[in-house]
Amino acid sequence: MDAALVKLLLLRLRGGLRYRLSELRTMRGVLFLCVTTGVILLLLSRSSLLSGDLGLEVLAGDPALAGERLASWMRLGLLGACLLTILTASGPAIYFSPPELNLLLTGPFTRRGLILYKVCFYVAGAFLSALIITLIAQPLVGTGLSILVGSFLALMFLQLLSAVIELSSQAVASPMLTRMGRAVMVLIAIYALASVFWLATHHGLTVTEILSAFESSWFGTIVLAPFDVFVSAFLSREVFPDLLGWTAVAAAIDGGLLALIVLLDRRTYETSIAASEALDRRWLRALRGGHFWAIRQTAARTLPRPPTLSGLGLMAWRQSLNVMRTSVKPIAVLLVLAVLMGPLLVEVGKDISPWSRIGVLFFIGVFVIPRTLVFDFRSDLDNLEHFKSLPLSPWAICAGQLVVAVLLTSAIELALIASALPFLQGSVRHLALVLAPFALPFNLLMYALENTFFLMFPSRLVPVGRVDFDFFGRTLIELTVKSFFLFVGCALAAGIGIIVFRATNGSWIAFTMMAWVSLALLGGLNVVLLGWAFRRFDVSRM
């Protein structure tokens, strides 16, 4: 790589460190650092939860058997992460920002040097992620050095393999064939989920038994062979010959993938530049009120104009048009995945602890989905100035901004519950039926809290989260505060329902109705609080 590019990397590294350290001069930066550190310490203290779910606590007296169990889960986890990375890739394999397109590509640098320059950013991100994995996983497995090296090489493998597949599709196939290939992969994934479900229901096999049979088959052995190298490096207990030998093989695999990227880039040079420019335009549309899924701007048939409802109907109509123009296909995919994942979660739940199941569902419902369905104030930061000039009541604007996100989230959750109901039994099925009507008021409360926090502490959405105290600290504080108020709101609604339950001599219908109304009222009160945050929002500060 050219010496000038190396110097540029060092300058960017020094500038990034200075920026992160400058954040500690403010009270917010110190608070974010403390919260991030506290969460990492909490993860370290609770790492035994993971060992419980993997069944490693009963194998503590047999390290070899415990390592074999963990290696099995790691191989399958890497395969799943690899497929997810490939299926969700929507941008260029090697992305160049507009300043890099204008300055670096016109400079006296070779294309190979520029590729290595960009790969260095993958190296930095993979190394930071490997450090976090080392801190969390060290109580479970071998030495810290083997965990750090193995996880770093595995993360680089996932990144490089995804880039190789993307460049290969650009080099040998048309865009239509590329989309057909992804559609085939989606169908294969659906077929795999359906097969697991069929085996679990008709043959009484658990998910663990099905995955074990897949690993022992000839097809599974071939598919999982590349991942065995990285898992062996991760679980090495001796520096020589285990760690050094497996590290050499894993590094050779990553080096071969990097060489393929350089070779394929010669045939996809213009395509990569065009894809980078298209991705930049996509991000700009997202910041101006679009959505990250909006790969291209599309036209859609308009919806009938709804009743005004003091402005609420018009604001909801605007967000509905935004969904139709940018996100119909991704939302359809989410609904299909919800229907497929319902039965699978029921089967997987038999192999993990109840608290882990609750934690996973809560994390998906409170963190993942709200950050996926961004059809509210968070995607309209640049339009807030226009909203404040409208002759509408703040409550109507705020309620209209939440309607679409609340309804879409509730539909996805109800689809998940409905697909799981036929496979639930006894009290669990009754509990699911009772909880289903609460999806709507719960999501209203959740999105009201989400947007209130956003308007009080505004921050632009970014395509890739920054690795600094501000990003991690803000995300953790937001999740903590939102979770606390959600727990308090649900507890208050349940408490009022219990009072009515006792007053009506044990009527569950009265309990459900009163708890639902109470949770809906709490959501409405938070919409009023959101209106206050909207009124005090100062557009001149953005």
Side-chain angles (χ1 to χ4, degrees):
M1 188 166 56
D2 192 276
L5 292 177
V6 175
K7 185 176 182 180
L8 180 59
L9 279 173
L10 295 177
L11 289 175
R12 293 189 64 173
L13 176 61
R14 188 178 69 176
L17 290 175
R18 290 179 60 184
Y19 174 76
R20 273 62 176 179
L21 293 176
S22 67
E23 293 177 344
L24 299 180
R25 298 177 183 176
T26 63
M27 181 60 67
R28 186 177 71 170
V30 174
L31 178 61
F32 285 167
L33 175 62
C34 293
V35 172
T36 304
T37 305
V39 171
I40 292 176
L41 293 176
L42 179 63
L43 290 175
L44 290 176
S45 64
R46 298 294 295 172
S47 60
S48 60
L49 181 64
L50 178 63
S51 64
D53 277 347
L54 296 179
L56 300 180
E57 79 289 352
V58 298
L59 304 176
D62 192 345
L65 190 57
E68 182 180 350
R69 174 71 63 85
L70 185 59
S72 174
W73 283 103
M74 286 181 62
R75 285 193 295 268
L76 295 170
L78 285 175
L79 175 61
C82 182
L83 294 176
L84 184 64
T85 302
I86 295 171
L87 290 174
T88 57
S90 59
I94 305 294
Y95 168 70
F96 288 94
S97 63
E100 291 171 339
L101 290 174
N102 294 330
L103 300 177
L104 293 183
L105 295 185
T106 58
F109 307 117
T110 63
R111 182 68 181 182
R112 182 176 60 183
L114 293 176
I115 294 296
L116 294 176
Y117 169 80
K118 296 300 297 184
V119 170
C120 286
F121 290 99
Y122 295 159
V123 171
F127 183 75
L128 290 175
S129 301
L131 283 177
I132 297 176
I133 294 174
T134 302
L135 291 175
I136 297 174
Q138 190 170 358
L140 298 176
V141 293
T143 64
L145 179 62
S146 64
I147 297 173
L148 177 64
V149 173
S151 56
F152 168 74
L153 293 173
L155 292 173
M156 287 301 303
F157 173 76
L158 295 178
Q159 292 282 350
L160 295 174
L161 180 61
S162 175
V164 167
I165 294 176
E166 185 71 21
L167 289 174
S168 300
S169 65
Q170 293 176 1
V172 302
S174 64
M176 180 178 295
L177 291 178
T178 302
R179 290 192 294 269
M180 290 177 59
R182 288 183 176 174
V184 170
M185 294 187 66
V186 170
L187 292 176
I188 292 175
I190 294 175
Y191 174 77
L193 290 174
S195 300
V196 171
F197 166 70
W198 184 80
L199 290 172
T201 54
H202 289 76
H203 294 273
L205 299 178
T206 65
V207 175
T208 302
E209 293 172 342
I210 295 173
L211 294 178
S212 298
F214 169 74
E215 286 185 278
S216 59
S217 66
W218 66 268
F219 179 74
T221 302
I222 295 175
V223 171
L224 297 175
F227 304 106
D228 284 332
V229 176
F230 300 96
V231 173
S232 299
F234 187 90
L235 298 177
S236 297
R237 294 186 177 275
E238 300 291 337
V239 175
F240 182 83
D242 296 340
L243 180 58
L244 290 178
W246 290 117
T247 299
V249 178
I253 294 175
D254 288 346
L257 292 175
L258 181 58
L260 275 176
I261 291 175
V262 174
L263 181 63
L264 291 170
D265 184 71
R266 298 176 182 176
R267 303 187 58 181
T268 59
Y269 178 77
E270 295 296 335
T271 305
S272 297
I273 293 177
S276 296
E277 293 174 346
L279 183 60
D280 184 66
R281 290 193 297 269
R282 173 189 174 191
W283 287 351
L284 289 177
R285 285 199 302 270
L287 293 177
R288 292 171 182 169
H291 198 276
F292 295 151
W293 284 331
I295 298 178
R296 58 180 60 87
Q297 202 167 12
T298 58
R301 292 183 60 185
T302 186
L303 296 172
R305 186 168 179 174
T308 304
L309 300 177
S310 300
L312 187 154
L314 296 178
M315 299 300 296
W317 181 59
R318 175 185 172 274
Q319 289 289 5
S320 300
L321 290 176
N322 190 21
V323 172
M324 290 185 62
R325 292 168 179 167
T326 63
S327 307
V328 172
K329 291 182 180 179
I331 290 174
V333 171
L334 286 178
L335 287 171
V336 172
L337 287 177
V339 173
L340 293 174
M341 292 302 294
L344 187 60
L345 286 175
V346 174
E347 295 300 323
V348 173
K350 299 176 182 178
D351 298 324
I352 62 176
S353 64
W355 288 111
S356 297
R357 280 178 274 172
I358 295 174
V360 170
L361 293 175
F362 182 82
F363 180 78
I364 293 175
V366 176
F367 183 79
V368 176
I369 294 180
R371 291 184 175 272
T372 304
L373 302 177
V374 190
F375 300 107
D376 45 32
F377 283 117
R378 292 170 295 166
S379 63
D380 278 329
L381 188 59
D382 289 338
N383 295 322
L384 283 175
E385 180 179 0
H386 305 294
F387 291 163
K388 293 180 73 70
S389 64
L390 294 174
L392 302 175
S393 301
W395 72 267
I397 295 176
C398 296
Q401 285 287 93
L402 301 181
V403 167
V404 173
V406 170
L407 292 178
L408 287 176
T409 303
S410 301
I412 293 173
E413 293 172 351
L414 290 176
L416 179 66
I417 294 174
S419 64
L421 274 178
F423 310 96
L424 298 175
Q425 297 178 354
S427 59
V428 179
R429 173 181 290 185
H430 295 155
L431 180 62
L433 289 172
V434 171
L435 291 179
F438 288 90
L440 190 63
F442 179 84
N443 290 322
L444 175 62
L445 177 61
M446 178 181 65
Y447 277 101
L449 291 171
E450 184 94 31
N451 283 267
T452 301
F453 189 92
F454 174 78
L455 292 181
M456 294 180 66
F457 306 99
S459 176
R460 289 189 179 275
L461 296 174
V462 292
V464 180
R466 297 171 298 169
V467 185
D468 56 23
F469 304 134
D470 183 79
F471 173 76
F472 281 120
R474 177 189 173 87
T475 302
L476 293 172
I477 288 179
E478 179 182 348
L479 181 60
T480 303
V481 172
K482 184 171 65 173
S483 301
F484 172 77
F485 282 105
L486 284 174
F487 280 125
V488 170
C490 293
L492 287 175
I496 296 174
I498 290 173
I499 294 175
V500 174
F501 176 77
R502 293 178 177 177
T504 56
N505 297 323
S507 174
W508 285 105
I509 296 178
F511 166 83
T512 303
M513 293 180 59
M514 185 53 62
W516 192 95
V517 171
S518 302
L519 192 60
L521 288 175
L522 288 174
L525 291 175
N526 275 273
V527 173
V528 176
L529 179 63
L530 177 60
W532 168 82
F534 175 76
R535 284 195 303 270
R536 69 178 293 275
F537 183 83
D538 186 4
V539 296
S540 63
R541 296 177 58 185
M542 298 307 298

